[in-house]
Amino acid sequence: MSTTPRLEEADPVPVPAEGPVRRRPRAPGRLRHVLLPLASLVLFLVLWQVSAASGTWSETLVPPPARVWDAFVDVSTTHDGVRGYNGTYLVEHLGISLRRIAFGAGTGIAAGVVFGLLMGTVRPLRSLFEPWITFLRTLPPLAYFSLLVIWLGINEEPKITLLAVAAFPPVAVSTTTAVAAVPRSLVEAARALGGSRWDVVKDIVVPSALPETFTGVRLAVGVAYSSLVAAELVNGLPGIGGMVKDAANYNNTPVVFVGIIAIGVSGLVIDGLLLRLERAVVPWRGRA
Amino acid sequence: MSSSETAEGAVTGGEVTDGVVAGGERAGAVRLGHVTHRYGAVTAVGPVDLTVPPGEFLVLVGASGCGKSTLLRLIAGFEQPTHGSVRVSGSVPRPGETAGVVFQTPRLFPWRTVGGNIDLALRYAGVDRARRGEHRARLLARVGLEGTEKRRTWEISGGQQQRVAIARALAAEHPLLLLDEPFAALDALTRERLQEDVRRVAGQTGRTTVFVTHSADEAVFLGSRIVVLTKSPGTVALDLPIPLPRGDVDAEELRESREFGELRARVAHAVKSAAAA
């Protein structure tokens, strides 16, 4: 960097007094982020094994970890001429469901961003739509799934629609709030620089709302995930939720466990990826 | 920092020709005609009559709450006066069209880098994309921030942030620059450096400048004229030309000179008695 004498006045990195403490000593950080979750996982497996072995419940209700592992291997391979579960491998079930989530939640998120921007900038629109969105948000997806099946049949349409409807409200609400709360000082600064109304929306309102919108997106993906089994209740095979539902019909608890774990783990991975994406796209989060 | 930089006396604005705008008013001139402004039932400022000729460095001084910031917002066009008229270069001021503004806090856009903040201002000012790089470099050099284009706004110090804000406000090359207590939040050393820079930049660019502060010291150092306002609602208590040398002067020497000390004492006294009245 070409330094001029003037630059020397600067303290290199000002730490905002009200900002969160970002840097922690290394070793305790690693302990907290890796060792603790690992320890809790081991403890969980031990407790699971102990309670399964205690014989309090039958193996059908609480299968031991080893049987769940066997089920995992079964649904991931071809054995005795049977390919995975119901002719589809576990990863394929998961892949099909993830595609449904990508389409469904993707549509819901896109609609949520558009509605959020409109509702945050135009007050009457907010008054008009907000009660409906709140109403929608409080409904459990199962409540309207039957309707969707009646209207849209039993194929992909009701599933995708359900996931879209479930993902829409969190994004719409968080974007609306963030847009409405755009710092007036920054809007004024942009106007003082000669920005038009449209410039202000595009260059100030949208980027200032982006961190909150991202929080909404993460929430939306979470909601879509938790609606997955509901979305695949009817004609859900192949699909991870459909697999869980089908296995439950046959009291095949180990496969239900495998499905639940697969949904949970992939959910964790996706949230981690979204978190990374967020750091890359909105590095200014918490810095304004 | 090249002090030999050519002054930008000639303003290239829409309706401006040879520094004279329609109605015979010079570019950058500010005229307040019996201006009063109320927020609800509270009169914040006025009545104030004030004329600022082009090229003058006017400092508005007063205790907090005397309405000096309100006056600046009226000149910037953010608000319309309840009574009276405000004219800049002969017409009603509109935000972004008549003046560059520097606020108390830098108000940088954190989603843009230092260079990105300047670029946005240049884009709003109608500078072609192809010519922005050269303008950006010149503006950053003018405030002593060469080579900081790629820095994030939160990575630089408070003083540097305010420098970026000044560069950003200069981007549109309006003939008028408005500054609202821009150095109040900075430490004493940084403040003095920035004062020297603003004094120099104003001199080099020949802009009309209106600067709001509560510090008599800052006012005397910067201004070619000082107006002290009474306490709320603010009216003009003292209108004082500052006959200190301008242009290329030794800031240290100036601050330690006898005239400087006398003027400062006089302004400080006026501010105190205006606030008590």
Side-chain angles (χ1 to χ4, degrees), chain A residues 13-276:
Chain A
V13 178
V15 179
E18 73 280 11
V21 181
R22 258 155 223 290
R23 249 171 238 184
R24 296 200 181 89
R26 216 140 227 276
R30 190 165 296 165
L31 180 78
R32 199 165 319 166
H33 293 307
V34 181
L35 287 182
L36 274 183
L38 218 62
S40 75
L41 181 64
V42 170
L43 182 68
F44 170 75
L45 286 173
V46 167
L47 283 177
W48 180 9
Q49 176 64 46
V50 167
S51 54
S54 71
T56 319
W57 302 281
S58 78
E59 272 211 358
T60 318
L61 291 180
V62 184
R67 280 210 41 212
V68 173
W69 175 256
D70 289 343
F72 170 72
V73 173
D74 276 358
V75 297
S76 304
T77 53
T78 302
H79 56 100
D80 307 331
V82 181
R83 191 176 184 276
Y85 188 90
N86 201 40
T88 314
Y89 289 138
L90 177 68
V91 277
E92 292 168 341
H93 282 296
L94 194 59
I96 285 161
S97 294
L98 284 178
R99 215 174 57 211
R100 285 175 184 148
I101 286 191
F103 280 119
T107 312
I109 286 166
V113 169
V114 171
F115 268 75
L117 282 177
L118 287 174
M119 286 161 59
T121 37
V122 188
R123 262 220 86 89
L125 284 183
R126 182 173 184 176
S127 312
L128 183 64
F129 289 121
E130 203 158 43
W132 292 96
I133 290 175
T134 311
F135 175 77
L136 196 63
R137 191 161 60 142
T138 49
L139 285 182
L142 259 180
Y144 47 84
F145 184 57
S146 327
L147 259 184
L148 292 179
V149 169
I150 293 170
W151 288 341
L152 302 170
I154 58 166
N155 294 325
E156 289 303 291
E157 294 87 346
K159 301 182 184 70
I160 305 267
T161 309
L162 178 100
L163 294 173
V165 171
F168 170 72
V171 182
V173 169
S174 62
T175 306
T176 305
T177 316
V179 166
V182 56
R184 276 183 51 96
S185 63
L186 294 187
V187 170
E188 204 173 74
R191 283 183 54 220
L193 293 174
S196 66
R197 263 185 79 95
W198 171 240
D199 286 331
V200 168
V201 169
K202 178 166 59 81
D203 299 327
I204 311 301
V205 173
V206 170
S208 88
L210 217 47
E212 274 310 299
T213 300
F214 244 100
T215 306
V217 167
R218 281 178 59 206
L219 276 173
V221 172
V223 172
Y225 245 83
S226 55
S227 315
L228 187 61
V229 177
E232 295 179 343
L233 269 181
V234 175
N235 196 23
L237 277 174
I240 194 85
M243 186 187 92
V244 169
K245 168 77 170 60
D246 193 70
N249 285 349
Y250 297 102
N251 278 350
N252 191 348
T253 337
V255 171
V256 173
F257 269 69
V258 169
I260 288 172
I261 292 168
I263 292 173
V265 169
S266 58
L268 273 177
V269 169
I270 285 179
D271 194 60
L273 290 177
L274 282 175
L275 210 59
R276 285 202 154 189

Side-chain angles (χ1 to χ4, degrees), chain B residues 52-92:
Chain B
V52 189
E56 187 166 77
F57 197 128
L58 174 74
V59 182
L60 289 171
V61 201
S64 44
C66 74
K68 53 196 193 296
S69 290
T70 303
L71 216 48
L72 203 76
R73 293 181 60 81
L74 292 170
I75 299 172
F78 286 130
E79 279 161 65
Q80 301 307 316
T82 328
H83 291 292
S85 73
V86 178
R87 293 287 179 276
V88 175
S89 309
S91 45
V92 176

Side-chain angles (χ1 to χ4, degrees), chain A residues 4 7 9 12 188 203 287, chain B residues 73 123-124 146 155 160:
Chain A
T4 65
L7 286 176
E9 112 227 336
E188 204 173 74
D203 299 327
R287 308 283 193 141
Chain B
R73 293 181 60 81
R123 201 179 89 209
Y124 289 170
E146 298 94 334
E155 291 172 346
Q160 289 175 321

